[in-house]
Amino acid sequence: MNTQMKSLLSLLMITALVFGFMQIYLPLEKYNYERLHIFLFNLCTGGTILLHYTRGGRKISKTIAFFWGTSLVYAFSAFFTLYPVTLITSLILIVIVEKIRIEKFSFIPLIFFKSDRDVSEKFHLAALLCLSTGLGIASLVIINNEYLKVLTNKHLTLNTFFLGFSFPISLVTLSAVFSMLTHIKTAYAVLIKEICFWTINLGVIVFFIFILMEKFVLQIFVTMALFAAVAMIFYLYIKFADHIQQKLFLTSGIGFLMFTAVTGIAYIFIHMSPGYVPDKTKWLMHLHVFASLYGWNLCGLAVICRAKDFPIQLHSRTVILIHWLTAVVLAPVGIFYPVSAIAAVAGYSFITITLFFSRNQTPETTEA
């Protein structure tokens, strides 16, 4: 990826975090900054990196550059509630994603059911399908809520479904994780990888259904199943993946993912309690979101974006330590204290710029 595109994407990611604090300190009565907070990171940046990773090569193609520009129109039209524009741009984005998906794989995703295809490929395909499906479902929600008004459900809102745009990043990151486990060919390991794949993909779908139905107990069971799958992936990755620089960042990312599972389970338990007060648990939800978006997802995007550049020149453990401090301490506390929000943006800017622009070097001089 060329320097100009990396500059635009890193700037967009930093801007996304800034919008995460804007609703608190500079609120607008009619608009919700959280939409920009989510869309700029997950769709505009994450979607662009996913498609570029799928296409391969170092230069951003015109098609992917067009996706990036169109995704910005989508994000701001959704923010300003210009829904006709959002629906048109959504259709364009779906066509681009599906075009690239079919080029890479096939129209019918048969490899999901082929035992001779590695799980890393299946996660990659699932990420592309999730992106196009997410765009389609969000459009249907807009059409229902703004025009047809056929279904009524307090959770059936764009603000609920735009969270789904983080799943493509998660899935392609898991593809990168499993690509480092392709050498494990034993029947037992292959079976475990397949179980993890189906548990995560079906689990996320079922979990969303239970959110709409407000089935909290069932949400807990699904979340625990997802946690067990991630824990198994963590074990396989630690034990069998080659000890290279990417492994440190992806291990840290899986740590963030497990952390979000724990905070998610805790939030559901609190939500079920008799004395539940939404305002008193906002800190936990913000902790969950920041760890997910700016912890787990950033690890994945950085590794995918720099896939052909590793090893890169940086002190890995120091960057990871600052990353955790920023995502699970400074950013959540920044919801309540402006000074911490400023520190979180500064820390996140340092991490993003370091990961995106550190020079690559020879393996012999790289510090793990």
Side-chain angles (χ1 to χ4, degrees):
M1 185 178 292
N2 60 43
T3 301
Q4 182 180 13
M5 198 64 198
K6 285 194 293 186
S7 299
L8 290 173
L9 292 176
S10 58
L11 178 61
L12 208 57
M13 294 169 79
I14 295 167
T15 304
L17 178 60
V18 172
F19 279 120
F21 298 113
M22 292 284 278
Q23 190 66 30
I24 300 164
Y25 299 113
L26 293 172
L28 293 177
E29 185 176 345
K30 292 178 60 178
Y31 305 111
N32 187 348
Y33 286 113
E34 191 176 2
R35 293 189 176 187
L36 288 178
H37 171 53
I38 300 295
F39 284 141
L40 292 182
F41 187 94
N42 286 332
L43 178 62
C44 303
T45 305
T48 300
I49 292 175
L50 168 58
L51 296 183
H52 177 63
Y53 178 69
T54 303
R55 272 277 179 91
R58 290 192 174 274
K59 292 185 178 180
I60 294 287
S61 68
K62 292 181 180 179
T63 301
I64 295 173
F66 182 64
F67 174 91
W68 178 74
T70 307
S71 69
L72 285 175
V73 177
Y74 180 98
F76 281 96
S77 63
F79 172 68
F80 287 112
T81 66
L82 302 173
Y83 292 126
V85 178
T86 308
L87 293 171
I88 293 171
T89 53
S90 177
L91 181 60
I92 295 170
L93 294 173
I94 291 171
V95 170
I96 295 173
V97 174
E98 284 298 289
K99 176 179 182 294
I100 293 175
R101 181 184 71 83
I102 294 168
E103 287 175 356
K104 176 70 175 180
F105 297 100
S106 62
F107 178 71
I108 302 175
L110 293 177
I111 73 166
F112 285 154
F113 310 99
K114 293 184 177 180
S115 59
D116 61 332
R117 302 297 289 268
D118 193 78
V119 167
S120 63
E121 291 184 275
K122 296 180 182 182
F123 270 115
H124 192 162
L125 172 57
L128 293 167
L129 274 174
C130 187
L131 180 56
S132 57
T133 303
L135 286 162
I137 293 175
S139 295
L140 292 176
V141 170
I142 292 173
I143 291 171
N144 177 75
N145 292 354
E146 300 298 323
Y147 306 108
L148 300 181
K149 303 184 185 299
V150 175
L151 301 175
T152 56
N153 185 305
K154 68 179 182 179
H155 297 293
L156 195 65
T157 66
L158 185 60
N159 286 359
T160 297
F161 281 88
F162 68 36
L163 296 174
F165 285 115
S166 67
F167 295 142
I169 303 175
S170 292
L171 293 174
V172 75
T173 303
L174 288 170
S175 173
V177 168
F178 278 98
S179 69
M180 298 171 66
L181 300 173
T182 54
H183 59 284
I184 308 175
K185 300 294 185 180
T186 63
Y188 175 75
V190 171
L191 176 62
I192 292 296
K193 290 194 289 183
E194 286 288 338
I195 291 173
C196 289
F197 171 77
W198 287 107
T199 300
I200 289 172
N201 283 277
L202 294 179
V204 166
I205 295 171
V206 173
F207 184 73
F208 243 87
I209 293 173
F210 288 158
I211 287 177
L212 295 177
M213 297 171 63
E214 292 192 327
K215 301 294 184 181
F216 297 112
V217 175
L218 295 177
Q219 287 179 39
I220 291 173
F221 280 111
V222 174
T223 305
M224 287 182 172
L226 291 170
F227 179 81
V230 173
M232 181 57 69
I233 292 170
F234 186 73
Y235 167 76
L236 291 173
Y237 192 65
I238 290 294
K239 186 173 179 62
F240 297 109
D242 294 332
H243 187 71
I244 55 179
Q245 193 180 37
Q246 297 96 305
K247 183 176 181 178
L248 279 175
F249 292 106
L250 289 176
T251 300
S252 175
I254 298 173
F256 275 117
L257 188 58
M258 296 177 73
F259 182 84
T260 60
V262 171
T263 54
I265 293 171
Y267 182 80
I268 295 170
F269 271 115
I270 294 173
H271 200 287
M272 293 170 58
S273 64
Y276 170 70
V277 179
D279 288 341
K280 292 185 178 180
T281 57
K282 282 185 177 180
W283 65 271
L284 182 58
M285 181 51 65
H286 286 300
L287 178 62
H288 176 81
V289 170
F290 281 122
S292 176
L293 285 184
Y294 301 102
W296 159 242
N297 283 353
L298 177 60
C299 288
L301 290 181
V303 169
I304 291 166
C305 186
R306 301 295 304 274
K308 296 184 179 180
D309 297 334
F310 282 99
I312 54 179
Q313 185 179 359
L314 51 78
H315 194 295
S316 303
R317 289 186 175 85
T318 300
V319 173
I320 289 170
L321 178 61
I322 296 174
H323 189 190
W324 275 85
L325 176 65
T326 301
V328 304
V329 179
L330 295 177
V333 174
I335 297 297
F336 306 99
Y337 301 101
V339 173
S340 185
I342 294 171
V345 173
Y348 184 68
S349 299
F350 166 77
I351 297 161
T352 304
I353 292 170
T354 300
L355 291 176
F356 273 70
F357 295 99
S358 293
R359 295 180 179 180
N360 55 326
Q361 61 180 25
T362 59
E364 290 77 11
T365 59
T366 301
E367 182 176 352

